[in-house]
Amino acid sequence: QAGCEDNSMIRLYNTKTREKADFETIERGKVGMYVCGPTVYNYIHVGNARPMILFDVLRRYLEYRGYQVTFVQNFTDIDDKVINKANEEGVDFNTIAERYIKEYFVDAQGLGVKKATVHPRATETMDAIIDIVERLIENGHAYVAENGDVYFRTKSFKGYGKLSHKNLEDLQSGFREIKVTGEEDKEDPTDFVLWKPKKDGEPFWESPWCQGRPGWHIECSVMSKKYLGEQIDIHAGGEDLIFPHHENEIAQSEAANGVPFSKYWMHNGFLNIDKRKMSKSLGNFFTVREIGEKYDLQVLRFFMLSAHYRSPLNFSADLMEASK
């Protein structure tokens, strides 16, 4: 298909269908690929490094096979974590975002990860975010609550749950048990936020509903559409993003655009530390920068590629020594 010497068919495992399928692109010889990037409030950790490396390999392989790949990886540069970090240091949120975007590229270069074709930022696509939210309200898939919150009406999207294979009725029951204080204006517990009002001391943007900022899920739908169009070939990220992030992306993108969002969904397995899930509370949380003080980061890249990408991978000093 791509016009290269190797004419063997590429097969990919699709999270959505739970099976492998022949890889056929929307446009012959071209691949549009979106991989969710980091929230830039600190140095990236080794868990972030796994999807960075794995999907860099996939991109390089597709290019090797002759495809023209447009690779998009976003930066979430406005988020509670970014704002909290800025408040702690007494600086503007942009200062935090700029600092850690710059540090991201230092680590990415050490890991041998190519720069994306484009690295969009949430704050650079605010007008487009407001436009798609307006469209969702107009077509009945979203609504404005009394306090200015805009929610996606999950029941309005018949295919909700098709990526994670979760049943909406079960989700509704579960969400009722853990309903979050301050979300009483939701029509249904499973509805998710598209736009939220500003809080004291937070940055905000003007919108038809209130001064505020977007929810996390809507950012990726908008950045993907802006740089890859309404339909893309591959959407990828860690398996922790399957639900609710990627599920919500599908719902809002397809409800707004009226066409299937991504042909193939790919997700990598979790990274564990000493056979326990990586967690700050357990004290087993390492940044790539810290690992780089002990090892050449190419050793970490080799280690990450030593297991099947969908399998859990255990990170330990012994395994790193073996990779070295």
Side-chain angles (χ1 to χ4, degrees), residues 2 25 27-33 59 62-63 65-71 117 233:
T25 58
E27 186 176 352
R28 184 178 176 84
K30 295 182 179 181
V31 176
M33 185 173 177
R59 172 200 186 173
L62 291 171
E63 290 173 342
R65 287 291 297 267
Y67 288 95
Q68 179 184 329
V69 181
T70 302
F71 187 93
T117 311
D233 295 295

Side-chain angles (χ1 to χ4, degrees), residues 93-105:
F93 81 95
N94 276 316
T95 302
I96 299 298
E98 288 294 339
R99 178 197 304 165
Y100 290 110
I101 287 173
K102 186 179 295 184
E103 298 297 347
Y104 166 88
F105 285 119

Side-chain angles (χ1 to χ4, degrees), residues 28-281:
R28 184 178 176 84
K30 295 182 179 181
V31 176
M33 185 173 177
Y34 188 98
V35 178
C36 289
T39 300
V40 284
Y41 70 102
N42 206 334
Y43 297 105
I44 59 171
H45 55 71
V46 289
N48 299 136
R50 194 176 191 197
M52 287 170 60
I53 292 167
L54 293 171
F55 297 118
D56 176 69
V57 170
L58 176 60
R59 172 200 186 173
R60 288 173 181 271
Y61 180 68
L62 291 171
E63 290 173 342
Y64 163 76
R65 287 291 297 267
Y67 288 95
Q68 179 184 329
V69 181
T70 302
F71 187 93
V72 179
Q73 182 198 295
N74 70 299
F75 289 121
T76 297
D77 60 346
I78 183 68
D79 176 270
D80 288 343
K81 294 175 182 177
V82 178
I83 294 169
N84 292 340
K85 182 79 168 181
N87 290 340
E88 286 174 14
E89 297 190 13
V91 297
D92 182 80
F93 81 95
N94 276 316
T95 302
I96 299 298
E98 288 294 339
R99 178 197 304 165
Y100 290 110
I101 287 173
K102 186 179 295 184
E103 298 297 347
Y104 166 88
F105 285 119
V106 172
D107 289 337
Q109 184 175 7
L111 292 167
V113 173
K114 292 173 65 173
K115 282 189 174 182
T117 311
V118 60
H119 283 281
R121 306 184 189 189
T123 57
E124 296 172 344
T125 50
M126 208 57 69
D127 288 344
I129 289 172
I130 291 171
D131 285 345
I132 196 172
V133 174
E134 285 187 305
R135 188 177 314 132
L136 288 168
I137 293 171
E138 289 170 2
N139 65 20
H141 287 290
Y143 58 94
V144 186
E146 288 186 13
N147 65 351
D149 275 304
V150 182
Y151 291 107
F152 185 88
R153 188 176 276 118
T154 307
K155 280 184 177 179
S156 72
F157 185 70
K158 293 182 179 179
Y160 195 80
K162 60 185 175 182
L163 177 67
S164 59
H165 301 273
K166 292 182 181 292
N167 183 284
L168 186 55
E169 291 182 2
D170 292 339
L171 288 172
Q172 287 172 318
S173 175
F175 275 113
R176 286 190 187 95
E177 298 299 321
I178 58 170
K179 192 167 183 179
V180 179
T181 302
E183 294 187 344
E184 292 82 3
D185 290 333
K186 284 185 178 184
E187 291 180 357
D188 187 271
T190 60
D191 294 347
F192 58 89
V193 69
L194 300 173
W195 187 269
K196 50 191 174 184
K198 68 172 183 178
K199 297 177 183 176
D200 290 340
E202 287 189 353
F204 64 87
W205 286 260
E206 298 290 341
S207 81
W209 320 288
C210 65
Q211 294 176 330
R213 57 189 174 93
W216 175 41
H217 310 301
I218 196 68
E219 297 172 7
C220 287
S221 284
V222 171
M223 287 185 272
S224 175
K225 180 180 178 181
K226 180 174 181 178
Y227 294 100
L228 296 172
E230 293 181 349
Q231 294 181 284
I232 65 175
D233 295 295
I234 300 172
H235 199 316
E239 68 176 348
D240 56 316
L241 299 179
I242 296 173
F243 185 86
H245 185 50
H246 287 167
E247 193 73 70
N248 290 350
E249 274 192 67
I250 291 175
Q252 62 203 9
S253 294
E254 296 187 0
N257 302 323
V259 293
F261 180 27
S262 180
K263 287 192 70 175
Y264 303 91
W265 289 87
M266 301 182 68
H267 297 90
N268 63 272
F270 285 122
L271 181 73
N272 299 318
I273 305 278
D274 292 325
K275 299 182 180 180
R276 295 187 299 174
K277 185 177 178 181
M278 187 174 67
S279 168
K280 288 182 179 178
S281 62

